[in-house]
Amino acid sequence: MDLARLRADGLGLYGSGDQLFGYAIFGRDSASCAQTLTRIRPGIARDIILSLARLQGTVEAPIGPHSNEEEPGKIHHEHRKLFVAGRRVPPDSENRLRELASRWGGDATTLTYYGSVDATPLFVRAVAAFCANHGDGILAEPIVRQDGSTVALRDSVLAALDWVVRSMDSSPLGFVEFRRRNPDGIPFQVWKDSGTSYIHIDGGIANWDAPIAAVEVQGYAYDALLGAARLFANPVWRDRAEALRQRVIEQFWMRGEEFFAMGLDRDGEGRVRWIDSIASNGALILDTAIFDGLSDAERYVAAIVRRICGHDFVTEVGIRCRAASEAGLVDFQDYHGEWTVWMKETFDVARGLERQGLARLAQRLGNRLINAVNVAGAHVEFLYVSPDQRVMYDFRGSAPRTSQPEEIAGTNRPEAPITWTVVAALALKSWLGSGHGLDGFESAVVDGPGWREALETEVLQRMPPIQVLRTSAEIARAYERRGDFILNHGLGRQRDERARARRRGSEPLLPAD
C-alpha cells in the first residue's frame, strides 16, 4: 500500500516515493496530511505532529547566502538526511541533498530548510484538529528538538503561534507575509512555489523582492489563532483572529471580479496591489473558518463556488491551478498554471465545499480525483489538462496514442506516489464509505440550508456530473481517450528560467505599427 511505503523513519511521511521528493520530509505537506488523517489514521497524524515539533526552528538564521531561513517557532519547509534507518539514501536523493544543501545551509549529511510561510499556521491548525478529536493529552508529549533541548508539545505549539503573531505584527498590512532571507532561497514560500505561480493579469510575475501576502495563508493563520484560543483559553487570540478576518475581506476581495486575489504584492514604488490573475487560491479559504458566523457569508461563498466550480476551473480530473481563460500569461505549461490539475488542490477545494455545507458539490469533485488516480494508474502529483479538456493520463509520456503526439513544454514530470494524493484519496474513500467529514473539525455551518441549498442546486446544474469508474473496462476506455501528449521537460525548464529572469510569464506583445 502506498501509504505504508511513504512512512518515514520516525518522522511521519515522506513527500513522495519518487525521485524528487522521496526521503524528504516537507512541513507543509506533513501538516496538511496530519489534519486529514486525524480521524482515519490518528496514529500517523500523531507521529507527523511530533516530528514537525522536533524539527521546529529554535534560532534566528542570518540573512544572506546559504541561510537556511530558520526562525524560532517556525516549522520547516524541507528536511533531508543522508542516512535513513541506518542505510544510505539512493543516489538520486543523495545528489538532491547535496545540491540543496549547497544553497540552503545544510551539509553533506543533513539539511533542514525553513523557506515556508504556511507550514507554521498549518501545524497549529493540525494540532487543534487532533485535540478536538482525541483530547489534549498530546500537548504534554515531550519533544527533543534539533538543538537538543526538551520541551512539551504545548510549548512547541505556543512557539509556532508566537511566530504567526510576530509575522502579523511585523507587517504594515497586519498579514502573515513572506520574503526570502536567502537570495538563492525559494522566492514564493507557499504551496504554489514555482517561479511563475504568482503572476499579474498583465503577465508580470509578482515582486518577490518585497513582502507578499498569500490569501490562503491568512485563512490558515485565522484558523491557527482560533484553534490556539480554544486550546489555551486565550480570548486575545480570538480578537486577533477577528481583526485578521476583516482585513482579509477588505483587502483581498476584488469587487469587479467577485473573487479573492491570490495575494498582495508591492510594485516598484512600494505600493500594495492585488496579484490579480484568477487562480484557485481564492477558493482555498472555503476550507477555513473565515466565513463561519459571518453575516454576509453568502456574498463571498456563493461567488467563490460559482467561479471555482465553473468551466474555467473544472476538468474531468479536478480543479485547475489557474483559470483556463487566462491561457497565454505564461508561454509554457507551468507547474501551477492553467494546464496543471493537482490532486491536492482538488481535495482542498472539495474539503472546503463540504465544510461549507455543499456536500454534493464536494462529492462531484471527489469523484474526479478518484477517477484521476485510477485512470492514471498511480497516486499522481498532478495531471496536465489542455484548455480544451484533453487529459494527459499517460503522465510519464510513455505511450503516445499516435506517431505525432503534441509536445508540452512542461517544467515538471509528475511524481507518483505523492503523499498528499495518497492521503486525499484515502480520506475521500472514507468519507464516501462511512460519512466521516473530510475536515478534521466538525462543520461550523449553523445557518440552515436556505441559500446554501439553493446555491448548490444552481451550480450542480452547470457542473457536469461524473461517477466513479468502477470496472477495469470503464477505466481502460477513459485511458484510451487520453490527450495525445509528450513532455519536453528541457524546453519547459528553459522557458521557466527565461521567465524568471525577465520577471514575466510571456513576452509582452509589441504595439501594432
Side-chain angles (χ1 to χ4, degrees), residues 18-20 22-23 80-82 87-99:
D18 214 329
Q19 291 185 2
L20 282 181
Y23 298 97
R80 292 177 181 265
K81 296 191 299 182
L82 182 60
R87 297 181 179 179
R88 199 180 191 105
V89 298
D92 285 339
S93 295
E94 179 175 345
N95 292 337
R96 186 73 174 160
L97 164 62
R98 293 181 186 277
E99 189 269 327

mmCIF file of all heavy atoms in Angstrom, residues 18-20 22-23 80-82 87-99:
data_model
loop_
_atom_site.group_PDB
_atom_site.id
_atom_site.type_symbol
_atom_site.label_atom_id
_atom_site.label_comp_id
_atom_site.label_asym_id
_atom_site.label_seq_id
_atom_site.Cartn_x
_atom_site.Cartn_y
_atom_site.Cartn_z
ATOM 1 N N ASP A 18 8.976 8.906 -5.065
ATOM 2 C CA ASP A 18 9.609 9.070 -6.368
ATOM 3 C C ASP A 18 10.940 9.801 -6.209
ATOM 4 O O ASP A 18 11.417 10.018 -5.089
ATOM 5 C CB ASP A 18 8.662 9.818 -7.298
ATOM 6 C CG ASP A 18 8.764 9.391 -8.759
ATOM 7 O OD1 ASP A 18 9.865 8.994 -9.168
ATOM 8 O OD2 ASP A 18 7.756 9.477 -9.481
ATOM 9 N N GLN A 19 11.532 10.249 -7.310
ATOM 10 C CA GLN A 19 12.900 10.748 -7.287
ATOM 11 C C GLN A 19 13.066 12.084 -6.577
ATOM 12 O O GLN A 19 13.961 12.246 -5.750
ATOM 13 C CB GLN A 19 13.425 10.872 -8.725
ATOM 14 C CG GLN A 19 13.636 9.531 -9.413
ATOM 15 C CD GLN A 19 14.274 9.678 -10.786
ATOM 16 O OE1 GLN A 19 14.599 10.777 -11.215
ATOM 17 N NE2 GLN A 19 14.441 8.563 -11.479
ATOM 18 N N LEU A 20 12.230 13.074 -6.877
ATOM 19 C CA LEU A 20 12.453 14.416 -6.344
ATOM 20 C C LEU A 20 12.170 14.515 -4.846
ATOM 21 O O LEU A 20 12.933 15.126 -4.101
ATOM 22 C CB LEU A 20 11.583 15.429 -7.094
ATOM 23 C CG LEU A 20 12.057 15.877 -8.469
ATOM 24 C CD1 LEU A 20 11.076 16.896 -9.045
ATOM 25 C CD2 LEU A 20 13.456 16.479 -8.407
ATOM 26 N N GLY A 22 11.236 11.849 -2.683
ATOM 27 C CA GLY A 22 11.459 10.683 -1.854
ATOM 28 C C GLY A 22 12.514 10.977 -0.790
ATOM 29 O O GLY A 22 13.475 11.708 -1.040
ATOM 30 N N TYR A 23 12.346 10.438 0.395
ATOM 31 C CA TYR A 23 13.270 10.608 1.522
ATOM 32 C C TYR A 23 13.354 12.065 1.994
ATOM 33 O O TYR A 23 14.317 12.447 2.648
ATOM 34 C CB TYR A 23 14.661 10.069 1.182
ATOM 35 C CG TYR A 23 14.649 8.595 0.883
ATOM 36 C CD1 TYR A 23 14.604 8.138 -0.426
ATOM 37 C CD2 TYR A 23 14.629 7.659 1.920
ATOM 38 C CE1 TYR A 23 14.558 6.776 -0.710
ATOM 39 C CE2 TYR A 23 14.584 6.301 1.646
ATOM 40 C CZ TYR A 23 14.546 5.865 0.323
ATOM 41 O OH TYR A 23 14.492 4.526 0.060
ATOM 42 N N ARG A 80 16.031 16.706 4.899
ATOM 43 C CA ARG A 80 16.613 15.533 4.265
ATOM 44 C C ARG A 80 17.800 15.042 5.086
ATOM 45 O O ARG A 80 18.503 15.841 5.734
ATOM 46 C CB ARG A 80 17.096 15.859 2.833
ATOM 47 C CG ARG A 80 15.978 16.162 1.844
ATOM 48 C CD ARG A 80 16.536 16.547 0.481
ATOM 49 N NE ARG A 80 15.486 16.868 -0.473
ATOM 50 C CZ ARG A 80 14.968 16.012 -1.356
ATOM 51 N NH1 ARG A 80 15.413 14.754 -1.398
ATOM 52 N NH2 ARG A 80 14.021 16.372 -2.192
ATOM 53 N N LYS A 81 18.043 13.721 5.026
ATOM 54 C CA LYS A 81 19.195 13.105 5.680
ATOM 55 C C LYS A 81 19.880 12.160 4.700
ATOM 56 O O LYS A 81 19.227 11.590 3.822
ATOM 57 C CB LYS A 81 18.766 12.309 6.916
ATOM 58 C CG LYS A 81 18.156 13.140 8.030
ATOM 59 C CD LYS A 81 18.012 12.329 9.311
ATOM 60 C CE LYS A 81 17.105 11.122 9.139
ATOM 61 N NZ LYS A 81 16.938 10.364 10.398
ATOM 62 N N LEU A 82 21.190 11.977 4.894
ATOM 63 C CA LEU A 82 21.932 11.069 4.041
ATOM 64 C C LEU A 82 21.662 9.609 4.400
ATOM 65 O O LEU A 82 21.613 8.747 3.521
ATOM 66 C CB LEU A 82 23.432 11.361 4.131
ATOM 67 C CG LEU A 82 24.348 10.516 3.245
ATOM 68 C CD1 LEU A 82 23.996 10.697 1.770
ATOM 69 C CD2 LEU A 82 25.813 10.879 3.490
ATOM 70 N N ARG A 87 20.659 3.181 6.690
ATOM 71 C CA ARG A 87 21.021 2.935 5.295
ATOM 72 C C ARG A 87 21.176 4.255 4.545
ATOM 73 O O ARG A 87 20.436 5.201 4.768
ATOM 74 C CB ARG A 87 19.952 2.091 4.599
ATOM 75 C CG ARG A 87 19.779 0.690 5.180
ATOM 76 C CD ARG A 87 18.713 -0.069 4.418
ATOM 77 N NE ARG A 87 18.539 -1.423 4.944
ATOM 78 C CZ ARG A 87 17.660 -2.295 4.476
ATOM 79 N NH1 ARG A 87 16.854 -1.940 3.468
ATOM 80 N NH2 ARG A 87 17.555 -3.504 4.999
ATOM 81 N N ARG A 88 22.133 4.258 3.620
ATOM 82 C CA ARG A 88 22.346 5.436 2.787
ATOM 83 C C ARG A 88 21.190 5.568 1.799
ATOM 84 O O ARG A 88 20.719 4.574 1.239
ATOM 85 C CB ARG A 88 23.669 5.282 2.031
ATOM 86 C CG ARG A 88 24.253 6.577 1.493
ATOM 87 C CD ARG A 88 25.558 6.300 0.777
ATOM 88 N NE ARG A 88 26.274 7.518 0.461
ATOM 89 C CZ ARG A 88 27.354 7.959 1.094
ATOM 90 N NH1 ARG A 88 27.850 7.240 2.109
ATOM 91 N NH2 ARG A 88 27.947 9.087 0.738
ATOM 92 N N VAL A 89 20.705 6.794 1.597
ATOM 93 C CA VAL A 89 19.600 7.009 0.667
ATOM 94 C C VAL A 89 20.083 6.739 -0.761
ATOM 95 O O VAL A 89 21.290 6.744 -1.030
ATOM 96 C CB VAL A 89 19.038 8.447 0.785
ATOM 97 C CG1 VAL A 89 18.473 8.693 2.175
ATOM 98 C CG2 VAL A 89 20.105 9.487 0.447
ATOM 99 N N PRO A 90 19.172 6.492 -1.709
ATOM 100 C CA PRO A 90 19.572 6.230 -3.099
ATOM 101 C C PRO A 90 20.344 7.403 -3.698
ATOM 102 O O PRO A 90 20.236 8.546 -3.226
ATOM 103 C CB PRO A 90 18.236 6.021 -3.812
ATOM 104 C CG PRO A 90 17.283 5.628 -2.733
ATOM 105 C CD PRO A 90 17.717 6.359 -1.514
ATOM 106 N N PRO A 91 21.116 7.143 -4.738
ATOM 107 C CA PRO A 91 21.949 8.199 -5.351
ATOM 108 C C PRO A 91 21.175 9.450 -5.759
ATOM 109 O O PRO A 91 21.665 10.562 -5.563
ATOM 110 C CB PRO A 91 22.562 7.493 -6.566
ATOM 111 C CG PRO A 91 22.604 6.049 -6.182
ATOM 112 C CD PRO A 91 21.376 5.812 -5.351
ATOM 113 N N ASP A 92 19.980 9.292 -6.315
ATOM 114 C CA ASP A 92 19.202 10.472 -6.711
ATOM 115 C C ASP A 92 18.901 11.361 -5.510
ATOM 116 O O ASP A 92 19.004 12.589 -5.582
ATOM 117 C CB ASP A 92 17.895 10.054 -7.393
ATOM 118 C CG ASP A 92 18.111 9.561 -8.819
ATOM 119 O OD1 ASP A 92 19.153 9.901 -9.405
ATOM 120 O OD2 ASP A 92 17.240 8.822 -9.321
ATOM 121 N N SER A 93 18.517 10.746 -4.399
ATOM 122 C CA SER A 93 18.206 11.511 -3.193
ATOM 123 C C SER A 93 19.461 12.124 -2.589
ATOM 124 O O SER A 93 19.433 13.257 -2.080
ATOM 125 C CB SER A 93 17.512 10.612 -2.165
ATOM 126 O OG SER A 93 16.250 10.186 -2.643
ATOM 127 N N GLU A 94 20.560 11.398 -2.646
ATOM 128 C CA GLU A 94 21.819 11.943 -2.134
ATOM 129 C C GLU A 94 22.264 13.154 -2.949
ATOM 130 O O GLU A 94 22.683 14.178 -2.393
ATOM 131 C CB GLU A 94 22.903 10.867 -2.160
ATOM 132 C CG GLU A 94 24.248 11.375 -1.650
ATOM 133 C CD GLU A 94 25.297 10.287 -1.553
ATOM 134 O OE1 GLU A 94 24.942 9.092 -1.612
ATOM 135 O OE2 GLU A 94 26.495 10.647 -1.394
ATOM 136 N N ASN A 95 22.156 13.060 -4.255
ATOM 137 C CA ASN A 95 22.538 14.187 -5.109
ATOM 138 C C ASN A 95 21.655 15.402 -4.848
ATOM 139 O O ASN A 95 22.129 16.540 -4.843
ATOM 140 C CB ASN A 95 22.458 13.789 -6.582
ATOM 141 C CG ASN A 95 23.518 12.774 -6.969
ATOM 142 O OD1 ASN A 95 24.552 12.659 -6.307
ATOM 143 N ND2 ASN A 95 23.273 12.026 -8.042
ATOM 144 N N ARG A 96 20.363 15.127 -4.638
ATOM 145 C CA ARG A 96 19.433 16.220 -4.344
ATOM 146 C C ARG A 96 19.789 16.883 -3.017
ATOM 147 O O ARG A 96 19.769 18.108 -2.896
ATOM 148 C CB ARG A 96 18.006 15.667 -4.301
ATOM 149 C CG ARG A 96 16.913 16.711 -4.134
ATOM 150 C CD ARG A 96 16.724 17.513 -5.401
ATOM 151 N NE ARG A 96 15.596 18.408 -5.291
ATOM 152 C CZ ARG A 96 15.418 19.475 -6.069
ATOM 153 N NH1 ARG A 96 16.287 19.733 -7.015
ATOM 154 N NH2 ARG A 96 14.371 20.253 -5.916
ATOM 155 N N LEU A 97 20.123 16.074 -2.017
ATOM 156 C CA LEU A 97 20.528 16.614 -0.720
ATOM 157 C C LEU A 97 21.751 17.516 -0.867
ATOM 158 O O LEU A 97 21.780 18.640 -0.344
ATOM 159 C CB LEU A 97 20.833 15.458 0.242
ATOM 160 C CG LEU A 97 21.615 15.802 1.517
ATOM 161 C CD1 LEU A 97 20.844 16.790 2.385
ATOM 162 C CD2 LEU A 97 21.936 14.542 2.312
ATOM 163 N N ARG A 98 22.754 17.053 -1.559
ATOM 164 C CA ARG A 98 23.983 17.830 -1.698
ATOM 165 C C ARG A 98 23.742 19.134 -2.470
ATOM 166 O O ARG A 98 24.278 20.190 -2.119
ATOM 167 C CB ARG A 98 25.053 16.991 -2.393
ATOM 168 C CG ARG A 98 25.524 15.796 -1.562
ATOM 169 C CD ARG A 98 26.603 15.001 -2.293
ATOM 170 N NE ARG A 98 26.955 13.797 -1.561
ATOM 171 C CZ ARG A 98 27.815 13.756 -0.547
ATOM 172 N NH1 ARG A 98 28.393 14.871 -0.140
ATOM 173 N NH2 ARG A 98 28.089 12.610 0.052
ATOM 174 N N GLU A 99 22.935 19.055 -3.515
ATOM 175 C CA GLU A 99 22.670 20.247 -4.325
ATOM 176 C C GLU A 99 21.909 21.299 -3.517
ATOM 177 O O GLU A 99 22.247 22.488 -3.539
ATOM 178 C CB GLU A 99 21.886 19.838 -5.578
ATOM 179 C CG GLU A 99 21.741 20.943 -6.616
ATOM 180 C CD GLU A 99 20.487 21.783 -6.421
ATOM 181 O OE1 GLU A 99 19.482 21.224 -5.966
ATOM 182 O OE2 GLU A 99 20.533 22.989 -6.719
#
